[in-house]
Amino acid sequence: MASVRARLRKTIRSMFYISAVKKLLETIPVIRNVYAPAQRTHPIDRIYGIDTSGVVQVENIHPDQSLRSQISPYVGSQPSIVRRGLSALGDIRDYVFVDLGCGKGRVTTVASEFPFRAVVGVELSAALAATARANAATIAGQFPDRPKVTIAEANVVDFPVPEAKLVFFNYHAFGAELMAKIVAKCEAALASGAQPHMFFIYYNPVHAEVFDQSPAFVRFYVEQIAYDKSEIGFGPDLSDVVAIWQSVCGSAPTPHHGADRTIIRIHASAAGLAQ
Ligand SMILES: C[S@@+](CC[C@H](N)C(=O)[O-])C[C@H]1O[C@@H](n2cnc3c(N)ncnc32)[C@H](O)[C@@H]1O
């Protein structure tokens, strides 16, 4: 009986995210409150006993007005989609994982489920970085054998590219200008010979063209991935796009079909994210 009720709840929740239904319900005061998905306690927080839910607006992330126009608010991505992206990489045991704009550390938590050499989060906001550190300590306490998670409080453009095989991750954390600076930094690191190989996972790839135009990267994977049923109602949609590039340097043929397909993006302005 309980499982029938749970299934019914999930089906009803899915119906709220059918585009036409959502459009209509968002016009009705009170009812539109159901669409504040990131404010609800995410299942991953209940599973691990961590705090990655909620939204932090850019005014509360950094005092510098010119930087604020280039950054997205804090909202966590969907762990099921991050797991699918990470699983697409193959053997990553020699790789260091770095989430550029890690917020409260939801993605560094998910990455710690995989056998990376190390897991790093870089975050501009001191308060968010402190929460990510506390979450990392909770996970390390429960799972001492998982890779070590380190959180750095820094602007990603000032963060030195580690000299190791790398998996960078970004959940549309910043606008085109910052993304172009990151790609230029990656290109310089690859050209220096210090980087044997690099993947870049771009979740919600609003500025995919920055990678497509770089001679240092080639497409590896592109998919529109449906949320796991347990996560429906905790993010803005029912599915998200994940695109992965790998560096030309050290590249191997991708095993994934359709990596060269046109990337359908959500518009940053519609989602209130950095342009
Ligand atoms: C959309 S949230 C993503 C959080 C996390 N990666 C996830 O997927 O759950 C973007 C985060 O990037 C951070 N951020 C934006 N610009 C940044 C920058 N230049 N340097 C470091 N962090 C930045 C924001 O403070 C915010 O926490």
Side-chain angles (χ1 to χ4, degrees):
M1 189 62 194
S3 80
V4 173
R5 261 206 309 271
R7 242 181 297 147
L8 192 64
R9 237 191 339 259
K10 274 176 193 160
T11 308
I12 293 170
R13 221 187 279 156
S14 307
M15 285 169 62
F16 275 92
Y17 286 85
I18 295 167
S19 175
V21 176
K22 185 174 175 202
K23 227 174 177 168
L24 175 71
L25 294 184
E26 276 178 334
T27 62
I28 306 170
V30 183
I31 291 183
R32 68 172 160 238
N33 290 347
V34 297
Y35 297 110
Q39 302 286 8
R40 307 173 59 206
T41 300
H42 195 281
I44 195 171
D45 287 3
R46 296 212 177 89
I47 291 165
Y48 281 128
I50 55 175
D51 162 25
T52 64
S53 301
V55 177
V56 177
Q57 297 299 346
V58 290
E59 307 83 81
N60 299 319
I61 288 179
H62 205 270
D64 179 344
Q65 181 69 38
S66 59
L67 188 55
R68 276 194 216 159
S69 65
Q70 273 293 298
I71 66 179
S72 296
Y74 170 73
V75 281
S77 47
Q78 299 310 313
S80 59
I81 291 178
V82 176
R83 286 187 191 107
R84 283 277 298 277
L86 293 176
S87 301
L89 299 177
D91 184 359
I92 44 69
R93 276 171 299 183
D94 290 344
Y95 286 73
V96 174
F97 176 91
V98 184
D99 182 7
L100 297 169
C102 71
K104 293 185 174 183
R106 186 179 289 174
V107 171
T108 45
T109 300
V110 173
S112 79
E113 297 166 357
F114 290 73
F116 285 107
R117 233 179 83 190
V119 172
V120 179
V122 185
E123 173 54 48
L124 196 56
S125 151
L128 289 170
T131 305
R133 251 176 237 125
N135 288 332
T138 302
I139 297 296
Q142 288 173 46
F143 304 99
D145 293 338
R146 284 194 182 186
K148 184 173 161 45
V149 177
T150 312
I151 306 295
E153 183 196 327
N155 184 336
V156 291
V157 291
D158 302 323
F159 183 74
V161 179
E163 293 190 3
K165 288 185 179 175
L166 286 178
V167 175
F168 275 132
F169 177 93
N170 183 252
Y171 175 34
H172 181 49
F174 19 80
E177 204 179 302
L178 266 180
M179 192 48 107
K181 284 187 184 164
I182 299 293
V183 172
K185 243 178 113 115
C186 292
E187 287 169 347
L190 288 161
S192 76
Q195 234 60 57
H197 187 232
M198 192 187 284
F199 286 109
F200 202 110
I201 304 178
Y202 196 176
Y203 180 137
N204 187 12
V206 174
H207 301 298
E209 72 285 352
V210 183
F211 287 92
D212 281 341
Q213 287 161 9
S214 168
F217 287 97
V218 285
R219 294 264 195 102
F220 182 77
Y221 173 90
V222 175
E223 281 298 340
Q224 172 126 20
I225 303 170
Y227 289 18
D228 183 83
K229 282 201 172 61
S230 65
E231 292 171 353
I232 292 172
F234 294 93
D237 260 301
L238 286 175
S239 65
D240 284 322
V241 175
V242 171
I244 306 177
W245 287 260
Q246 66 172 327
S247 58
V248 172
C249 160
S251 63
T254 178
H256 304 291
H257 295 293
D260 55 353
R261 63 171 64 105
T262 303
I263 294 178
I264 303 160
R265 292 155 259 189
I266 67 152
H267 293 292
S269 54
L273 302 171
Q275 310 271 318

